[in-house]
Amino acid sequence: MTITATALSTSEEQDGTVKYASIGSLELEAGGFLPDVVLSFETWGQLNADASNAVLVQHALTGSTHVARGATDEEGWWEQLVGPGATIDTNRFFVVSINILGGCYGSTGPSSEAPDGRPWGSRFPLITLRDSTLAEARLADALGIDAWHAVLGGSMGGARALEWAVTFPERVKRCAVISVGAYSTAEQIAFAQSQTLAIRQDPHFNNGDYYGGPAPENGLALARRIAHITYRSALELDFRFGREAQPQEKPLAAAVLGERGRYQVESYLDHQGTKLVRRFDANSYIAITEALMSHDVTRGRGSLSEALARASAEFFVAAVDSDRLYFPAQSRELAEALPGDVPVHVIQAPIGHDGFLTEIGQLSAQLRSAFFA
């Protein structure tokens, strides 16, 4: 289903189901060009007459647009926050979630068909979060949304929300930035590069032109293992797994190196890698990981305070206390550079970075009071 500005149905029967919008061509920040961009998205609730109740919820790196169940049976990834009667009450608000440009859940990405009928593959251009914001603004235009009541997200979703507030200040009234800072640090870029190299060095990667043949599944699974270690805290891994062996396996019994059994934590990471391989495209993982590398709200905008002074939104900043990927100090730096007195709300969770998903309910009362009363 491709929409135009006048052809969108927002009936309850379509809540939580994927729709598609063609938004035209895009000249990209890094110099590339996409001739015909499609964005996939989901919506919940009804847009009111003056389009003042629209809320944009941005997904994280490998997340989908499925924030809440809606008319489907599939559980959403922010059920604690979005739905009828929830903090973001879909009986009152029109919620939109958009698959990022470069993704593999329906938006134009490396696996999409290029003008010559073949997948983009290695020819897919470098994109930045600013490119994705520009594309999403065109979709907002098509939906008849001049300004968002609120834009919010966690991790990469929070970076996307912040970019929206600074790039289009007149279009964002409220902005929640959760579990991410104002820019990707050198360490975060280093972790990201190790993941993209894991994929690129897979024998089946074929410079990104693997469609129609074996996919670089081992490389993608390894990338996920690396990432997942940063998503969970050392305390959580120790508590859950310690030094225990995987059942029926013996890590310290092997005549040669390649025959030893696994520790439980190794089996856990293997499982996480396998799960991602079943649902995600390796080229998209590279494309949006490198888009997240580009995250820097100050680029071309002066100092951090000068860049953030462009925004006119009310801000809500939050961090997970045990996060070792996007440290709480980065959230404090962001809050201190924003105009006015912006507190940093804290999710208390031993799990680590993923607490922005599993424990988001801890922020329900604060978000409701700040943005959705």
Side-chain angles (χ1 to χ4, degrees):
M1 173 183 175
T2 299
I3 69 159
T4 66
T6 59
L8 176 68
S9 171
T10 58
S11 67
E12 291 183 3
E13 290 78 11
Q14 292 186 321
D15 280 5
T17 60
V18 179
K19 308 172 184 70
Y20 303 91
S22 179
I23 62 163
S25 62
L26 275 180
E27 294 185 5
L28 303 171
E29 184 183 8
F33 177 77
L34 287 170
D36 184 16
V37 173
V38 171
L39 293 182
S40 68
F41 65 104
E42 295 182 34
T43 66
W44 298 260
Q46 296 286 319
L47 188 64
N48 61 14
D50 61 0
S52 62
N53 69 333
V55 176
L56 177 61
V57 178
Q58 301 280 49
H59 68 77
L61 185 75
T62 59
S64 71
T65 55
H66 198 61
V67 177
R69 284 183 177 85
T72 75
D73 294 327
E74 181 186 354
E75 183 178 5
W77 48 265
W78 255 6
E79 291 279 340
Q80 297 177 63
L81 211 60
V82 178
T87 300
I88 308 175
D89 186 352
T90 52
N91 292 325
R92 296 177 53 213
F93 295 99
F94 178 62
V95 178
V96 181
S97 184
I98 306 169
N99 184 220
I100 191 171
L101 180 66
C104 57
Y105 285 118
S107 290
T108 295
S111 61
S112 303
E113 188 176 286
D116 63 1
R118 297 185 294 116
W120 280 100
S122 62
R123 300 171 296 164
F124 193 76
L126 174 65
I127 59 170
T128 68
L129 294 190
R130 294 187 190 178
D131 295 322
S132 69
T133 301
L134 176 60
E136 290 161 11
R138 295 218 193 139
L139 175 56
D141 291 341
L143 293 170
I145 300 168
D146 294 327
W148 298 100
H149 173 87
V151 181
L152 67 161
S155 193
M156 186 183 76
R160 296 167 68 192
L162 181 61
E163 192 60 52
W164 251 101
V166 175
T167 302
F168 295 107
E170 73 286 356
R171 303 191 71 166
V172 180
K173 296 180 180 179
R174 299 164 187 84
C175 180
V177 183
I178 302 169
S179 299
V180 74
Y183 51 86
S184 291
T185 67
E187 181 181 60
Q188 288 149 10
I189 292 170
F191 278 126
Q193 190 230 24
S194 65
Q195 295 166 49
T196 60
L197 281 179
I199 297 171
R200 287 187 164 112
Q201 292 179 0
D202 186 298
H204 293 143
F205 182 61
N206 193 31
N207 196 35
D209 295 318
Y210 52 81
Y211 302 108
E217 293 183 353
N218 289 337
L220 179 57
L222 177 55
R224 183 61 166 188
R225 289 178 180 87
I226 297 166
H228 203 77
I229 294 168
T230 71
Y231 298 160
R232 299 301 174 102
S233 71
L235 178 64
E236 197 248 354
L237 293 176
D238 283 339
F239 177 78
R240 288 182 63 184
F241 306 112
R243 294 188 49 79
E244 295 300 313
Q246 180 70 1
Q248 286 80 54
E249 298 189 31
K250 297 179 179 180
L252 295 178
V256 294
L257 287 174
E259 293 180 358
R260 76 165 178 84
R262 297 171 297 172
Y263 293 96
Q264 284 186 8
V265 70
E266 294 178 284
S267 176
Y268 170 70
L269 292 175
D270 290 346
H271 173 66
Q272 295 300 325
T274 299
K275 280 204 309 182
L276 187 72
V277 164
R278 291 172 181 163
R279 69 176 179 87
F280 217 80
D281 176 59
N283 274 329
S284 278
Y285 194 98
I286 292 173
I288 60 180
T289 295
E290 295 188 348
L292 184 53
M293 285 186 190
S294 81
H295 173 48
D296 180 4
V297 78
T298 73
R299 188 172 63 254
R301 295 166 174 163
S303 69
L304 181 56
S305 295
E306 289 169 340
L308 295 175
R310 298 163 59 100
S312 57
E314 298 176 37
F315 276 89
F316 183 101
V317 177
V320 178
D321 62 354
S322 59
D323 198 334
R324 63 174 175 177
L325 176 57
Y326 292 100
F327 294 101
Q330 293 175 257
S331 297
R332 291 194 294 270
E333 178 191 35
L334 170 62
E336 289 167 3
L338 285 164
D341 184 15
V342 179
V344 177
H345 302 270
V346 177
I347 296 173
Q348 296 180 326
I351 193 173
H353 180 66
D354 274 355
F356 84 90
L357 289 169
T358 63
E359 303 297 330
I360 192 63
Q362 291 186 28
L363 299 181
S364 291
Q366 297 99 311
L367 274 168
R368 187 188 299 270
S369 175
F371 286 3
F372 304 106

